[in-house]
């Protein structure tokens, strides 16, 4: 009997050594319970009236099966949801859900600021395609309109890349800025934006836009109403991280560079730290906004860019920060991770605040407002590869209180 036990122990040691389990990452999990707030089999839109809906259908601009939510943002009672025009029939790219009227279920998306102002190809006041968006503390909604219709090699640039900033109190565009020709290149694809408010108030604002396929970071200064493009090797993808398996589907994204970005609080030096990562990479990098904000420095500060660390099994889409805690979508894990930025960026210091292998396939965006974490999940691999099965739920928006989400994880500062 004793021999049997010993051999069992020996066997288990052998299994561990042969299959590399000793190398498994065992993250700490948060105590919070994820709440599935909204869920859709297929997206749908609200129209001003039935004759407008009929007109939209007959013109081919209403094919709800082609809608995929990619970005969210929250302001007061509005939950914004963006839907890119990758395929035909997206009536509106920038939309919202009225949270006073809709608490659950599958609400229809309401075009913002109006259906008319979501006319594709209306380069002046219209919106053609929006991806990730950002609301700042000055009640402004920052939208980078990529001006594109279609996806990947089918993309048509019908309008120039234009930053459009809305005043959320009046629903009017208060700033329109077309990117300069030298801000982009022939490969440019920008799907994310970060907003840096400095100590100087609402006028002291900068936008950082990550060029995922052109490998650059474009800085826009609100005060100077001008922009510049930064180049760095850290904006490229890692050639060893181009193989993806998500929700059982395998695909290769080998070209996807700088994407996720988040900003730290203002430090005692008066600036923030911009954290960023490429989509096809497990590495996290950083740069001080003191460098980004100064064009001269931005173009001549190779060594100011820092390697922060590496995630384990860690492709990540969007990331965000609440004080010193960073949240990031862990796509391969069907999860959202966390990291306390006061600790080294190592797998040991990465926790998981939300995870679900059935309902969280491809978390696409994560935001925190008023102590609540919001996550949108969109099944993107099915959408791209096999086609979406509309008999089941495909898109979800989750909420979880931030404090509960990180409680019990290595990110909870109370542990230290
Ligand atoms: C529908 O809405 C449009 C635009 O708001 C308006 O011009 C039209 O008169 C409305 N039609 C009906 C039947 O209410
Ligand atoms: C819209 O189309 C439906 C179905 O074809 C039709 O029954 C309805 O009368 C139309 N409504 C308007 C206002 O044109
Ligand atoms: C900002 O610059 C753009 C293009 O260079 C120009 O069209 C716009 O009027 C400017 N806005 C302000 C507020 O100066
Ligand atoms: C980009 O173009 C603008 C306008 O033509 C020019 O002022 C600026 O110096 C150029 N930037 C770079 C980095 O060459
Ligand atoms: C930008 O940095 C350069 C080089 O350090 C410095 O000379 C310049 O004054 C800075 N510009 C601003 C606007 O701070």
């Amino acid at each position: 009997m004793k021999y049997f036990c010993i051999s069992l122990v020996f066997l288990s040691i052998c299994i561990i050594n042969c299959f590399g389990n000793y190398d498994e990452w065992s993250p700490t999990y948060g105590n919070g319970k994820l709440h599935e707030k909204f869920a859709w089999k297929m997206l749908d839109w609200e129209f001003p009236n039935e004759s407008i809906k009929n007109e939209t259908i007959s013109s081919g601009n209403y094919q709800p099966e082609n809608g995929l939510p990619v970005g969210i943002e929250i302001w007061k009672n509005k939950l914004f949801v963006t839907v890119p025009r990758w395929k035909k029939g997206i009536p509106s790219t920038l939309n919202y859900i009225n949270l006073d009227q809709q608490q659950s279920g599958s609400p229809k998306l309401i075009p913002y600021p109006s259906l008319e102002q979501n006319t594709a190809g209306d380069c002046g006041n219209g919106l053609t395609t929006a991806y990730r968006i950002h609301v700042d503390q000055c009640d402004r909604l920052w939208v980078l309109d990529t001006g594109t219709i279609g996806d990947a090699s089918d993309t048509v640039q019908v309008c120039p890349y234009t930053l459009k900033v809305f005043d959320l109190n009046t629903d009017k565009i208060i700033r329109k800025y077309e990117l300069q020709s030298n801000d982009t290149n022939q490969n440019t694809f920008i799907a994310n934006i970060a907003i840096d408010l400095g100590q100087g108030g609402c006028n002291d604002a900068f936008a950082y836009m990550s060029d995922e396929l052109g490998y650059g970071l474009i800085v826009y200064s609100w005060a100077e109403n001008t922009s510049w493009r930064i180049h760095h090797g850290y904006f490229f993808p890692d050639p060893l991280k181009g193989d993806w398996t998500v929700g059982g589907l395998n695909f290769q994204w080998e070209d996807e560079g700088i994407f996720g970005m988040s900003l730290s609080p203002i430090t005692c030096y008066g600036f923030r730290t911009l954290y960023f990562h490429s989509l096809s990479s497990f590495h996290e990098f950083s740069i001080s906004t003191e460098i980004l904000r100064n064009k001269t420095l931005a173009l001549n500060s190779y060594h100011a860019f820092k390697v922060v660390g590496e995630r384990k099994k860690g492709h990540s889409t969007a990331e965000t920060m609440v004080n010193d805690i960073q949240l990031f979508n862990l796509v391969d894990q069907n999860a959202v991770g966390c990291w306390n930025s006061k600790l080294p960026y190592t797998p040991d210091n990465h926790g998981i605040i939300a995870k679900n292998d059935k309902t969280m396939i491809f978390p696409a965006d994560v935001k925190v407002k008023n102590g609540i974490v919001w996550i949108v999940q969109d099944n993107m691999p099915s959408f791209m590869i096999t086609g979406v099965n509309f008999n089941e739920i495909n898109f979800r928006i989750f909420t979880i209180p931030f404090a509960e989400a990180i409680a019990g994880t290595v990110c909870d500062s109370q542990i230290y």
Side-chain angles (χ1 to χ4, degrees), residues 180-183 226-229 295 299:
Q180 304 176 90
S181 59
N182 54 13
D183 287 334
T226 189
S227 56
W228 49 91
R229 180 185 174 89
K295 183 178 172 181
L299 301 180

Side-chain angles (χ1 to χ4, degrees), residues 185 187-189 211-216 229 231 236 255 258:
N185 60 33
N187 295 322
T188 286
F189 171 69
D211 187 349
E212 183 183 322
L213 298 179
Y215 313 139
R229 180 185 174 89
H231 170 88
F236 285 73
D255 301 329
I258 180 169

Side-chain angles (χ1 to χ4, degrees), residues 331-344:
V331 181
D332 315 275
Q333 310 275 334
N334 313 314
V336 180
C338 66
W339 166 57
N340 183 336
S341 61
K342 295 209 159 122
L343 302 173

Side-chain angles (χ1 to χ4, degrees), residues 44-119:
D44 200 2
W45 279 264
E46 199 164 288
F47 291 86
N49 58 43
E50 200 187 31
S51 52
I52 296 219
K53 182 169 182 175
N54 283 4
E55 278 172 32
T56 312
I57 292 170
S58 47
S59 63
N61 288 328
Y62 178 64
Q63 296 175 41
E65 66 277 14
N66 288 339
L68 179 82
V70 298
I72 50 172
E73 183 55 291
I74 304 92
W75 181 77
K76 295 191 176 170
N77 64 350
K78 286 189 172 76
L79 168 64
F80 290 96
V81 180
T82 59
V83 184
R85 285 190 161 107
W86 279 354
K87 298 183 185 178
K88 285 196 165 61
I90 307 302
S92 168
T93 185
L94 180 61
N95 312 280
Y96 71 98
I97 294 163
N98 184 328
L99 294 171
D100 288 342
Q101 289 165 7
Q102 305 283 348
Q103 296 293 329
S104 61
S106 317
K108 290 186 178 176
L109 304 180
I110 306 167
Y112 183 87
S114 64
L115 180 65
E116 206 187 350
Q117 262 191 272
N118 272 275
T119 304

